[in-house]
């Protein structure tokens, strides 16, 4: 007799934990790519110091967009505030967690902060950050998944330690996003190009 009882609940929980872990890693990769881009930009802009004074505050948005849309309709999974000291070139970064419950528009609607970008693009998102966090943001930058992969490639790739399960997932799962090119990987330390790191 073959038992066909209920599916293994523990296996479903393990799979859910793995999905959450992968999502956190993706967000971390996006944030690291932004940091690298900002650091290189600041170096070229400010060199070894300037005669300028004051601060330059930039809102940085990483959107979950696979169709190239960088405005309304894209959720900003990464929201960061970048503050650059114009005199020294020193950079300070702060993440605003996307699930932070804040006022997202002038009508007084409260929601997760990434909804502000979804509803009104960068303009509404910057206004919401300014009002909620008492800031005066000067500029903004928005990037998507493709930009993260390209930034990692520009930097020459990245070394990432992966587990057996992660290696299996990378080698066997076919991504729904066709821009990714999955390379064969082994457990342990791997040097990834931007597309494999993103996957």
């Amino acid at each position: 007799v073959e038992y066909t009882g209920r599916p293994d609940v523990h296996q479903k929980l393990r799979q859910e934990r793995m999905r959450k872990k992968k999502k956190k890693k993706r967000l971390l990769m996006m944030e690291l790519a932004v940091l690298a881009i900002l650091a290189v930009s600041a170096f070229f802009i400010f060199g070894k110091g300037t005669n300028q004074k004051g601060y330059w505050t930039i809102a940085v948005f990483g959107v979950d967009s696979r169709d190239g849309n960088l405005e309304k309709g894209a959720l900003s999974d990464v929201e960061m505030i970048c503050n650059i000291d114009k005199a020294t070139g020193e950079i300070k970064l702060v993440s605003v967690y996307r699930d932070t419950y804040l006022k997202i528009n002038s009508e007084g609607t409260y929601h997760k902060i990434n909804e502000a970008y979804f509803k009104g693009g960068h303009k509404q998102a910057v206004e919401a950050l300014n009002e909620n966090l008492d800031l005066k943001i000067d500029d903004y930058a928005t990037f998507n998944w493709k930009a993260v992969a390209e930034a990692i490639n520009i930097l020459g790739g990245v070394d990432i330690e992966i587990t057996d399960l992660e290696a299996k997932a990378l080698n066997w799962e076919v991504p729904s996003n066709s821009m990714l090119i999955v390379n064969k990987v082994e457990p342990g330390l791997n040097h990834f190009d931007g597309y494999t790191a993103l996957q």
Side-chain angles (χ1 to χ4, degrees):
V1 175
E2 184 179 334
Y3 175 68
T4 58
R6 66 188 190 123
D8 184 0
V9 174
H10 296 293
Q11 183 179 1
K12 285 185 179 180
L13 289 172
R14 281 193 298 272
Q15 289 171 342
E16 182 63 28
R17 280 195 298 268
M18 287 296 291
R19 275 195 294 275
K20 286 181 181 178
K21 187 177 176 184
K22 285 180 185 179
K23 190 166 191 172
K24 283 182 184 177
K25 282 187 179 183
R26 281 198 322 249
L27 290 174
L28 177 62
M29 288 301 300
M30 287 179 78
E31 289 179 352
L32 290 175
V34 169
L35 179 59
I37 291 167
L38 289 173
V40 170
S41 299
F43 176 78
F44 285 116
I45 292 170
F46 297 106
K48 295 180 181 176
T50 68
N51 293 326
Q52 298 182 50
K53 294 180 181 175
Y55 294 89
W56 182 24
T57 304
I58 306 162
V60 181
F61 303 104
V63 295
D64 186 9
S65 167
R66 287 158 174 83
D67 62 2
N69 175 29
L70 299 179
E71 280 301 326
K72 250 191 246 191
L75 284 168
S76 52
D77 284 346
V78 172
E79 295 202 13
M80 299 175 80
I81 308 298
C82 173
N83 190 266
I84 302 173
D85 184 329
K86 290 182 182 180
T88 64
E90 180 184 16
I91 300 172
K92 292 185 178 177
L93 290 172
V94 172
S95 284
V96 179
Y97 298 124
R98 66 185 187 154
D99 293 337
T100 306
Y101 194 70
L102 297 172
K103 188 161 83 167
I104 64 164
N105 60 27
S106 57
E107 288 82 44
T109 305
Y110 281 79
H111 206 288
K112 295 176 182 180
I113 189 61
N114 69 344
E115 185 77 2
Y117 200 101
F118 183 80
K119 296 285 188 186
H122 79 274
K123 188 174 185 297
Q124 186 171 331
V126 167
E127 287 171 1
L129 290 171
N130 278 338
E131 183 174 351
N132 285 283
L133 304 177
D134 195 24
L135 295 171
K136 185 182 176 297
I137 294 170
D138 303 301
D139 287 304
Y140 79 97
T142 299
F143 64 95
N144 61 8
W145 294 109
K146 187 176 180 188
V148 173
E150 289 172 353
I152 292 170
N153 284 337
I154 289 168
L155 296 170
V158 63
D159 292 330
I160 299 177
E161 185 88 29
I162 62 169
T163 65
D164 291 334
L165 287 174
E166 290 166 335
K168 283 180 188 174
L170 282 169
N171 288 329
W172 291 101
E173 286 183 9
V174 177
S176 60
N177 182 353
S178 61
M179 77 171 216
L180 297 174
I181 303 162
V182 180
N183 299 315
K184 288 289 183 185
V185 298
E186 299 291 330
L189 189 64
N190 287 262
H191 185 77
F192 288 163
D193 63 15
Y195 295 102
T196 310
L198 184 58
Q199 174 62 10

